[in-house]
Amino acid sequence: MNHVQAPLALDPRAGGLRRGGPAAMPPVLAILLLIGAVEILLLVLLPWLLAHGTDSAWVQSERLAHLALAVLGSTVFGAIAGITAERRGNSPWWALLGHAGSVVAPLVAAFGLVESSPLAARLAPAMAGTLGALMPLAWKAPATAWEPGPGTRTLARLAHAAGNIWLGISLLALLAAAIWWGSWVENAFGHKAAMAMIYTSGWLGFVFFAFTVSLVAATLRKYPWRVDQTGWIVVHLALVMIIVGSMMSFWAKREGELILGEGEAASSFLAENQTRIVLEEAREVSGRLSWRKLDEAICRFDGNPAAMEPQEELSLAGPSDQTFEVKVLRWFPDARKSEELSDDAKEPLFGVSGTIEMPGGGMSRPFTLSEDGGETGDPTLLSMACRRVVDEEAATLLRQSGAGFGALEILDPADKVLLRVPLEPGAMDAAMAARPVPFDVEIPGTGIHAVGKALYANWQLDGTTSERRPVDASPDDPRNPALALMLKGPRGEDVRWAFSWYPDLLPPTPERNVYSDLRVRLRWFALPKGALWFVARAGAEPFWAFRSRSGEVRHGPVTAGKALELGIPLSITPSRMYSHLARREVWNFAGYSPQQSVAEVQIKHPGGETTAWLPLQESTSFECGEEMYRLRWQRTREPIPFTLKLHDFRRDFYPGSANESTFESYLRLSDDDRFRSGADIKIDMNHPLRFKGWRLFQARYSTENGETTILQVNRDPGLPVIYPACALLSLGMVLVFFQKPFLRQLGRWAASKTSFARFGAAQLAVALALASTLPGVLVISLLPPGPVQGLGALAIALGVVLESVLVVRWLGPRLDPARKGSP
Amino acid sequence: MRVLALLALVITVVNAQEVDAGGLDLSTIRQLPVLEGERYKPLDSLALEWVERITGARRFHNCESMLWFLHWRCAPEIARKERVIRLTSSELSAHLGFAVGSAAESFRSFDELAENKQLDALLKEARALPEARHSQLHTEALRLDARSSMFGSIAGIDGGWEGAKSLGGWLPCAPPVQAPQKGAKYRWISPAEVPGSGHAPALVTAFITAMQELDQAFDARNAKAFAAASAKVLQGAKALGYPEGTGGFPGLESMEREIKLNAVRPFENAVWWFFAAFLLALVALAAPRARWIFFAAMLPLLLATGYMIFGLHERTVLSGRALIGTFYESMLFVAGSAGLLGLILDLFLRRGWFLCAGSLVAFAGLFVATRNPDFMQPAISTLRPVLINNDWIHIHVPAIMTSYALLGLSFVLGQIWLVRYALGLGKGESQEQLARAAWLAIPPGEVLLFTGIVLGGVWADASWGRFWGWDPKEVGALVMWLVFMVVVHGRWAGWLKDLGTALGTMAGGWALLWCYYGTNFFQSGQHSYAAANSSKEIPSWMWGFTVIEVALFVAVMLRQRRSTPPPTPATN
């Protein structure tokens, strides 16, 4: 017999809200979901997209946070307004009134109130939202309850479909595949390219957005929620929070590096991901060249290293309404600079190139020396240099084993030698850490006396005391000969320094020197121990001279392709000599370390067109008519609201190796609010400075130009959202995976109770899930720090399993009378 | 002339035979403290590590490492002609013009390598190129050169040690006059450097004489003289003054403790006990009625776990740092955790599947870890500054590794399910239990994995200044979590039944392998320090594994197609 079943008469309301019908979400929730999604797109995403890569205040963290907060407030007020209206029989589209704050917030920001009056800026959208939320209460309820129209019904069905688990699974799989692909892009093109092409790309952002909408829809469509869905809701909510927090980080995070040498102070840092091209004009100030900034432009071309021919055009304003057009033809994130040598320079410059082969065979490296360069090579092994001598006497002395000779020369502006004083230094004086040179000679015809003070065979600044006084670091080894003297005359006293190998180190200036028209020169012809010199001389072939550590001197002519007979295991073979050495910059690309970014730029200016290579943090100069300009490519400098000064940087090494076991920066922190007189702090590995929302970490160091610390600077407003969300997600997973049977029983028990009891039951579930992680947390927190804490992780896993078993097996049957007596 | 010289070399090259111990007592000289690899250790450990790196075996030709070490040091002119340096790549062998074939051909002498022009050219080429452009041949050549240099250092026949032959090769056993100071590099010196070290002449003479006596006694295999000289060397080195305080010498007790660990070889022993447990678990599964076999399988597992706990504890105490600091140690931890979790889970379920999978994962993991000295670098080592003085390493790394163990168990159980299914054995209650077991391991694994990822983020935030940096390792872990989440959702939605779940664990297993192994070895990132010797090319075992997996997938699909009933024709 066939029975015709009457259709079930469904309650039009469930959980206080109007149902949306089969395969449809409650209309009010669908409306709230739609408004929320549109609001995020318009209020947060759109301003960021429009202002990204500019100095606009719309990408500053304060404004974005203000807008995000407005959206959050509107979501709450909108929900209140919509649900109130719908329950009173009005249209749930009244929810829009609760979103009044979202209209007010951008207006407030546009008028600059966020910066000038933060409290008013926050209150205004909140007040508008509150008023909007109260409006449905003030409005009279209609005689007939609201019925959804076709548009709302479609929306409810679409929102329901967005929460489909298949869509969720597909998006999960898509996300997994996309970011996995991103790790390959990173491998091929580097981290920056992967960030640009995948991780921060618009399409992945859309996938994340769709995933978030799907998560929220999946949660809303289950309304009215049951107690046994507590864990599931917690997980979804936590995931949404993580995505929101990540977006906050992405939009408003500040990152970069603070590079400080010892004794230096800074209150700004170099931004991680933004560079600028700066146009500067050359000027002469007090006889010195200085550069004045004319204009700058933010670069976009270096966002993606995979796009190496960006053809980006930047327009920079020059003086007198002139425009300089800069076109970036190519750029390479990892390049290495090398030199191309030739012998066609206009000015004479002596140089030698060749190869050094290390003992034991195999290790071989090229070298290039020129007379305008300093020493090169490993000083503990061998130092090399090119020198030029003016007379044969000096050349002869260089080839002898003796200590050589020295003389002081005083010259007039036309380089005429006015006085030559042979130097006869005394024994080392402990007090001055140098050899006294007791001479007092008048410069003929001037009335000025040259008075000798001290002679240093190897002048160095003593780094062990704060005074940094000069000392003779190795009196028997003329590695940096220097002389201190005084010029005494009718106009006063003038202290002078003369450096043998750096004659232009301290040129006399009218501001500093009384007798600035007189130059002093120290001539010292003696090879230091362990030094190899290639020596050029007028009218004769160059020769090499080498003084071993034991003092033995060897010398010979420089012949291309013939190894020098140094008498040590090291083999040095000159390959070419240059009388007019010219160096040209050549760039090699791909995969070199250390990384050096370089761009090829074409500069169109009123005086013509120039193409040049422009390395990051360096500059290239060009002429435009009579004027000299330069283009700098530099990382954006961002301010921090305090000042740090590096006092000392220390490293320590593992015994038996040159690998560091730790590095530490000792700094002084000055801040107008809290540390006016400054506070001494230390930043080292895993012990960052956290101050005013900024965090500074010990990242790296450099010893290229003295001891330099490199601190990572970070300010991340998303973390206060991400951290609790992650904890919530872990907790939710425990509930979902391990306590679901118990939650079902708890739900059945609570079904007959009041809504307050049901809420209490859900809270109990969360508390129990938390309790199950406690054993591991206790192990970690109670035991002393050390390897045994690792057992905490295992204890968490075991705790989750054991406590869940206990809860489900023991507590469950007590809540479920139907199963209480069952076998 | 050169041909004759080469011929003479070929004639004089000998295949290495075992070294005659001659009844020497090595127990005293083993304790000689040395400072190498950034830590103080007994000579026993140095010999084990270096001989293993050079020859590939801890007992090369069934002869203990200490003997090889002393033999190379005391008889360098003989040793340099012996084929003891391992050539791991047949491609490189062929390139260098060496015969490829028998096991003996994979060893070459120091002289053979030093005279090889192709090797010289290849090394020069490799050194001129940036590392990113190295081919596998370059990498192998550099590794071979490193092994050859290690041999040369011990034997005192590399470039830097020519002048000091009379006092043997490199052996950093003598403390210098200067004690370690903060901020200054510090190293111990070899006997050849002691005369010029600035120590008191009497101490220098005593130490040098003792070293020479030791070398002579070893050469002559004079047991009595060797024992006496060993004691004198120990005394002489101690008289030079072991440093105390921070960064100082940990004491002779620590040396003895390390020698004991070397002798017990806990991880090498645990391998075979895990294997025994696996075999017994298989028998227990085949004979479900004989419950005593199931419990018997637990005994070797317990014994192996005991070895693991002892070994890990001793390594941690001796290194004075975190439990897991290197890829090798992480392998040990994953293997040990898999075994222990298999044991614990089967104490509840009592089906034997977890026992079987746990012991299999533990055996495979330990086998790989202990049989690949080049790749795994088993020596106790120090950590990078970012990893030390930090409690997160004790929390984040074990959490992640335990999740690997759990998800690895799920993967192995899924694989067993698929193999049984493909072979037509996939019916009945046992197959359902197996699928359930594979599923049960996923939730705790996912919870721990996510917790580990988050804790890693917290650590990264504290150390590198960012919570999440899209580092390949972070991405790998997230991908793994997402893949298993797809399995979880698929199963909840009813989309994935047992077959789907098993295939899902296959995908998850791949993600796990990629996260654990691939990101460390093929992708550079901030976790690259976790890697041992990275490689640019995918190793052959991974290709083999891929082929097996694809074959299994195809077999399962074919079986599934056959077992699906054809659609019933529509009838009116």
Side-chain angles (χ1 to χ4, degrees):
Chain A
M1 190 186 287
N2 288 331
H3 294 279
V4 178
Q5 284 189 333
L8 285 172
L10 282 174
D11 182 357
R13 285 187 175 270
L17 299 181
R18 193 185 196 293
R19 286 180 193 271
M25 194 183 280
V28 64
L29 297 182
I31 289 167
L32 290 173
L33 179 66
L34 175 74
I35 298 173
V38 172
E39 211 162 55
I40 287 170
L41 283 173
L42 289 181
L43 252 67
V44 187
L45 194 57
L46 194 64
W48 186 82
L49 280 173
L50 292 175
H52 175 55
T54 69
D55 285 331
S56 162
W58 289 99
V59 276
Q60 303 306 311
S61 56
E62 287 75 17
R63 281 204 184 178
L64 280 169
H66 165 77
L67 293 174
L69 204 65
V71 172
L72 193 69
S74 292
T75 308
V76 176
F77 293 126
I80 294 170
I83 290 169
T84 312
E86 199 247 18
R87 290 197 51 131
R88 286 169 62 84
N90 284 318
S91 163
W93 284 100
W94 281 70
L96 284 166
L97 284 173
H99 287 263
S102 297
V103 181
V104 175
L107 292 174
V108 164
F111 284 106
L113 277 176
V114 176
E115 293 82 18
S116 61
S117 178
L119 186 66
R122 280 188 191 179
L123 275 177
M127 299 264 297
T130 311
L131 277 174
L134 291 174
M135 287 287 277
L137 287 174
W139 211 261
K140 195 180 166 190
T144 50
W146 170 80
E147 281 293 325
T152 310
R153 283 181 198 279
T154 309
L155 174 67
R157 277 198 295 275
L158 281 175
H160 186 87
N164 186 297
I165 192 165
W166 308 118
L167 179 64
I169 290 174
S170 307
L171 287 169
L172 270 176
L174 183 62
L175 277 177
I179 62 174
W180 186 70
W181 177 241
S183 67
W184 277 108
V185 172
E186 172 160 0
N187 215 36
F189 301 107
H191 183 71
K192 218 170 174 179
M195 291 300 286
M197 291 165 70
I198 310 286
Y199 302 133
T200 60
S201 65
W203 66 267
L204 192 70
F206 176 76
V207 175
F208 268 111
F209 184 75
F211 181 63
T212 313
V213 170
S214 173
L215 271 174
V216 177
T219 314
L220 293 180
R221 79 182 214 166
K222 294 273 168 130
Y223 187 85
W225 301 300
R226 301 190 307 269
V227 170
D228 63 305
Q229 288 168 335
T230 307
W232 179 81
I233 292 168
V234 167
V235 166
H236 281 206
L237 184 69
L239 273 172
V240 172
M241 278 172 70
I242 288 175
I243 294 172
V244 168
S246 304
M247 287 298 115
M248 284 168 68
S249 287
F250 173 59
W251 285 325
K253 191 160 69 173
R254 292 280 175 272
E255 269 184 309
E257 283 179 339
L258 182 61
I259 303 168
L260 277 177
E262 279 180 346
E264 289 176 0
S267 54
S268 63
F269 67 95
L270 296 173
E272 185 92 18
N273 292 317
Q274 197 185 68
T275 61
R276 288 158 195 258
I277 282 186
V278 184
L279 177 68
E280 292 174 328
E281 178 189 36
R283 282 186 152 198
E284 200 179 314
V285 179
S286 309
R288 287 189 174 189
L289 184 69
S290 72
W291 295 93
R292 185 174 71 100
K293 186 171 119 180
L294 296 173
D295 196 12
E296 64 176 18
I298 295 174
C299 303
R300 289 171 186 268
F301 68 85
D302 57 344
N304 182 2
M308 290 182 180
E309 292 182 17
Q311 305 291 325
E312 183 179 334
E313 290 184 20
L314 305 163
S315 189
L316 295 163
S320 320
D321 296 332
Q322 291 177 341
T323 305
F324 290 66
E325 299 288 345
V326 178
K327 187 174 183 183
V328 183
L329 304 173
R330 294 187 287 171
W331 88 281
F332 301 90
D334 307 322
R336 186 171 63 176
K337 186 161 68 173
S338 59
E339 284 179 338
E340 203 174 71
L341 305 175
S342 63
D343 205 5
D344 53 6
K346 286 176 190 165
E347 300 296 322
L349 184 70
F350 173 56
V352 179
S353 63
T355 53
I356 307 173
E357 208 149 322
M358 305 302 277
M363 289 294 280
S364 159
R365 63 180 178 84
F367 73 86
T368 306
L369 298 166
S370 62
E371 61 177 302
D372 62 342
E375 289 179 44
T376 186
D378 181 355
T380 58
L381 198 64
L382 180 79
S383 70
M384 297 163 69
C386 270
R387 305 282 180 213
R388 182 183 291 275
V389 293
V390 288
D391 46 38
E392 194 53 34
E393 186 188 10
T396 308
L397 279 162
L398 273 175
R399 289 180 293 207
Q400 289 178 356
S401 295
F405 81 96
L408 165 71
E409 289 176 346
I410 295 180
L411 306 96
D412 67 5
D415 271 1
K416 185 186 165 197
V417 178
L418 301 176
L419 175 72
R420 176 176 287 184
V421 185
L423 295 173
E424 289 174 7
M428 279 293 285
D429 182 318
M432 67 168 69
R435 293 169 198 274
V437 274
F439 64 81
D440 186 340
V441 191
E442 187 188 344
I443 304 170
T446 60
I448 303 168
H449 283 247
V451 181
K453 290 283 181 193
L455 182 76
Y456 302 78
N458 186 11
W459 184 94
Q460 272 183 29
L461 279 177
D462 182 7
T464 58
T465 62
S466 57
E467 292 169 27
R468 312 269 296 164
R469 67 188 186 110
V471 293
D472 199 346
S474 43
D476 297 325
D477 197 11
R479 201 154 281 282
N480 182 16
L483 176 77
L485 72 151
M486 187 182 284
L487 301 179
K488 275 185 182 174
R491 279 181 277 162
E493 294 179 350
D494 189 355
V495 176
R496 291 296 189 87
W497 285 94
F499 295 89
S500 174
W501 298 344
Y502 307 97
D504 300 325
L505 191 62
L506 283 174
T509 59
E511 295 83 28
R512 204 169 48 208
N513 301 96
V514 182
Y515 306 108
S516 60
D517 50 339
L518 296 179
R519 288 201 302 121
V520 295
R521 187 162 74 187
L522 174 65
R523 305 198 69 201
W524 187 295
F525 298 103
L527 271 169
K529 284 178 183 171
L532 168 67
W533 283 8
F534 293 95
V535 187
R537 49 191 169 155
E541 287 300 307
F543 68 92
W544 62 269
F546 169 65
R547 192 174 181 206
S548 71
R549 297 256 164 226
S550 59
E552 184 197 356
V553 172
R554 287 172 176 248
H555 58 87
V558 186
T559 313
K562 192 182 169 196
L564 311 182
E565 290 171 8
L566 300 172
I568 55 170
L570 210 66
S571 172
I572 294 175
T573 311
S575 56
R576 193 173 172 189
M577 280 153 293
Y578 304 85
S579 58
H580 291 71
L581 176 68
R583 293 186 168 97
R584 275 176 204 88
E585 216 173 65
V586 180
W587 288 92
N588 295 315
F589 308 106
Y592 286 101
S593 188
Q595 297 179 355
Q596 166 76 56
S597 286
V598 64
E600 189 182 21
V601 289
Q602 185 186 58
I603 310 156
K604 280 185 192 169
H605 49 80
E609 192 177 297
T610 312
T611 302
W613 286 105
L614 182 57
L616 184 60
Q617 297 298 103
E618 291 181 28
S619 63
T620 181
S621 340
F622 58 95
E623 285 175 7
C624 173
E626 296 290 304
E627 301 296 321
M628 175 77 98
Y629 296 89
R630 77 175 180 185
L631 216 55
R632 282 187 70 78
W633 183 23
Q634 61 190 37
R635 289 165 71 181
T636 297
R637 200 164 262 286
E638 291 194 34
I640 42 173
F642 47 88
T643 306
L644 283 172
K645 182 177 182 183
L646 181 69
H647 278 312
D648 193 11
F649 178 76
R650 292 180 202 164
R651 290 183 288 159
D652 203 4
F653 302 90
Y654 279 117
S657 92
N659 293 340
E660 287 88 358
S661 59
T662 178
F663 29 97
E664 302 160 348
S665 299
Y666 292 84
L667 303 128
R668 188 154 188 88
L669 166 70
S670 307
D671 174 56
D672 289 342
D673 301 330
R674 287 181 58 190
F675 301 109
R676 279 179 185 278
S677 52
D680 288 327
I681 55 160
K682 182 176 95 168
I683 299 177
D684 65 339
M685 273 289 161
N686 297 313
H687 298 103
L689 164 71
R690 293 168 197 273
F691 189 62
K692 287 191 163 179
W694 293 85
R695 291 165 308 154
L696 286 95
F697 306 81
Q698 182 68 63
R700 294 175 287 128
Y701 68 90
S702 162
T703 50
E704 266 180 32
N705 302 310
E707 297 271 274
T708 304
T709 189
I710 301 172
L711 303 171
Q712 182 81 24
V713 183
N714 182 283
R715 181 186 167 90
D716 190 347
L719 287 184
V721 179
I722 292 175
Y723 277 169
C726 286
L728 212 57
L729 181 55
S730 296
L731 199 68
M733 285 201 292
V734 171
L735 276 171
V736 174
F737 285 136
F738 304 109
Q739 298 185 357
K740 204 165 180 182
F742 164 71
L743 291 179
R744 282 213 183 106
Q745 285 149 354
L746 194 66
R748 276 200 286 270
W749 172 81
S752 57
K753 307 287 186 293
T754 61
S755 56
F756 183 73
R758 283 199 290 277
F759 178 74
Q763 299 308 307
L764 177 67
V766 174
L768 283 169
L770 193 65
S772 63
T773 63
L774 273 183
V777 174
L778 285 176
V779 169
I780 291 171
S781 54
L782 293 183
L783 291 177
V788 79
Q789 283 193 331
L791 294 173
L794 205 58
I796 286 181
L798 287 176
V800 166
V801 174
L802 290 175
E803 196 153 326
S804 299
V805 168
L806 194 75
V807 162
V808 174
R809 291 264 168 95
W810 179 75
L811 200 55
R814 278 160 180 74
L815 294 168
D816 197 352
R819 293 179 62 193
K820 213 174 196 175
S822 60
Chain B
M1 193 64 200
R2 286 181 67 180
V3 175
L4 281 176
L6 201 64
L7 196 63
L9 181 74
V10 171
I11 292 166
T12 51
V13 162
V14 288
N15 285 333
Q17 301 297 316
E18 64 185 79
V19 182
D20 175 23
L24 300 179
D25 177 12
L26 302 173
S27 60
T28 308
I29 198 65
R30 277 185 212 286
Q31 298 174 28
L32 178 68
V34 293
L35 174 54
E36 188 274 331
E38 303 176 352
R39 59 182 290 270
Y40 300 98
K41 60 177 90 167
L43 179 59
D44 187 55
S45 293
L46 176 74
L48 266 177
E49 289 158 11
W50 280 52
V51 172
E52 191 175 22
R53 291 278 300 281
I54 294 165
T55 65
R58 285 168 83 98
R59 289 182 68 85
F60 185 56
H61 285 299
N62 206 26
C63 189
E64 67 169 299
S65 302
M66 268 303 292
L67 277 174
W68 280 113
F69 191 91
L70 291 170
H71 170 61
W72 294 344
R73 176 180 165 76
C74 299
E77 292 310 318
I78 300 170
R80 66 191 297 161
K81 293 181 173 55
E82 290 175 340
R83 287 181 172 170
V84 294
I85 302 169
R86 195 165 38 109
L87 251 158
T88 47
S89 157
S90 52
E91 190 193 352
L92 178 65
S93 245
H95 182 87
L96 301 183
F98 293 138
V100 183
S102 67
E105 298 293 349
S106 35
F107 292 93
R108 293 289 153 185
S109 73
F110 180 86
D111 279 354
E112 276 178 293
L113 297 175
E115 291 294 319
N116 193 296
K117 298 289 176 206
Q118 286 94 327
L119 179 61
D120 190 44
L122 196 59
L123 287 170
K124 278 187 176 161
E125 193 179 292
R127 284 176 185 130
L129 285 170
E131 202 184 331
R133 289 190 184 177
H134 283 176
S135 68
Q136 192 65 19
L137 207 58
H138 289 135
T139 310
E140 288 292 343
L142 288 168
R143 285 182 190 166
L144 178 64
D145 185 52
R147 285 195 284 275
S148 174
S149 297
M150 288 170 89
F151 174 88
S153 296
I154 297 171
I157 49 178
D158 68 342
W161 293 94
E162 286 288 349
K165 275 180 189 165
S166 63
L167 287 168
W170 168 86
L171 179 60
C173 65
V177 177
Q178 276 285 353
Q181 286 173 340
K182 197 169 167 62
K185 290 170 190 165
Y186 177 77
R187 71 178 184 95
W188 280 14
I189 52 180
S190 293
E193 297 169 281
V194 172
S197 65
H199 279 295
L203 296 178
V204 172
T205 311
F207 179 71
I208 293 299
T209 312
M211 280 307 298
Q212 282 168 337
E213 283 174 11
L214 182 85
D215 292 351
Q216 285 159 11
F218 182 81
D219 256 353
R221 299 295 189 274
N222 183 337
K224 203 174 163 187
F226 185 81
S230 299
K232 275 192 197 170
V233 167
L234 242 67
Q235 218 172 0
K238 192 177 176 186
L240 295 176
Y242 289 139
E244 291 172 359
T246 314
F249 179 60
L252 286 171
E253 305 76 33
S254 177
M255 302 298 117
E256 280 172 26
R257 193 169 186 165
E258 191 160 337
I259 292 169
K260 196 170 136 196
L261 177 67
N262 292 340
V264 173
R265 303 169 68 207
F267 309 119
E268 285 79 1
N269 284 322
V271 174
W272 300 113
W273 288 112
F274 277 128
F275 189 61
F278 169 62
L279 291 180
L280 278 170
L282 276 184
V283 175
L285 286 168
R289 289 187 182 174
R291 294 300 289 165
W292 65 270
I293 305 177
F294 170 75
F295 290 106
M298 289 186 172
L299 292 176
L301 197 54
L302 273 172
L303 189 62
T305 308
Y307 267 124
M308 295 298 296
I309 291 172
F310 167 75
L312 285 170
H313 177 261
E314 289 300 294
R315 270 183 83 92
T316 310
V317 170
L318 288 167
S319 65
R321 57 158 171 83
L323 180 73
I324 311 170
T326 63
F327 189 70
Y328 173 74
E329 284 161 354
S330 76
M331 281 286 272
L332 297 181
F333 189 86
V334 170
S337 304
L340 186 62
L341 287 165
L343 186 72
I344 292 170
L345 289 169
D346 248 343
L347 277 174
F348 286 102
L349 298 176
R350 302 202 174 187
R351 302 289 180 194
W353 289 115
F354 274 114
L355 212 58
C356 176
S359 48
L360 178 61
V361 171
F363 163 71
L366 270 190
F367 190 85
V368 171
T370 54
R371 293 291 189 281
N372 289 288
D374 264 358
F375 180 67
M376 287 290 176
Q377 298 179 355
I380 299 174
S381 59
T382 51
L383 298 179
R384 282 189 184 189
V386 69
L387 299 176
I388 51 179
N389 303 327
N390 192 310
D391 292 338
W392 288 111
I393 193 171
H394 307 310
I395 301 165
H396 157 69
V397 186
I400 287 280
M401 293 302 148
T402 313
S403 78
Y404 286 179
L406 279 162
L407 297 172
L409 283 181
S410 173
F411 168 65
V412 169
L413 289 166
Q415 293 282 295
I416 299 172
W417 193 97
L418 290 171
V419 170
R420 282 167 59 98
Y421 181 82
L423 294 174
L425 305 169
K427 290 168 189 137
E429 196 191 348
S430 64
Q431 189 75 344
E432 283 170 22
Q433 286 167 2
L434 182 55
R436 187 171 152 72
W439 162 249
L440 280 178
I442 295 177
E446 279 286 84
V447 174
L448 271 179
L449 178 61
F450 184 79
T451 310
I453 293 172
V454 172
L455 294 173
V458 177
W459 182 11
D461 188 31
S463 295
W464 296 327
R466 88 289 182 289
F467 177 79
W468 190 262
W470 294 108
D471 181 73
K473 191 76 171 175
E474 295 169 355
V475 170
L478 186 60
V479 167
M480 181 162 77
W481 188 76
L482 289 170
V483 169
F484 276 106
M485 265 297 148
V486 168
V487 178
V488 167
H489 280 81
R491 188 151 175 119
W492 278 346
W495 181 37
L496 298 180
K497 306 293 182 197
D498 287 351
L499 171 62
T501 307
L503 287 174
T505 61
M506 187 191 245
W510 264 108
L512 167 61
L513 194 66
W514 183 254
C515 174
Y516 187 30
Y517 179 81
T519 54
N520 279 8
F521 293 93
F522 306 121
Q523 296 183 323
S524 58
Q526 286 193 292
H527 284 78
S528 295
Y529 54 74
N533 282 333
S534 59
S535 164
K536 302 286 172 302
E537 290 179 15
I538 295 174
S540 50
W541 69 264
M542 223 168 161
W543 284 119
F545 179 68
T546 310
V547 170
I548 291 169
E549 289 294 283
V550 171
L552 181 60
F553 181 78
V554 171
V556 165
M557 287 295 107
L558 288 174
R559 167 69 62 184
Q560 201 262 345
R561 218 173 148 182
R562 254 184 287 167
S563 58
T564 309
T568 317
T571 50
N572 292 323

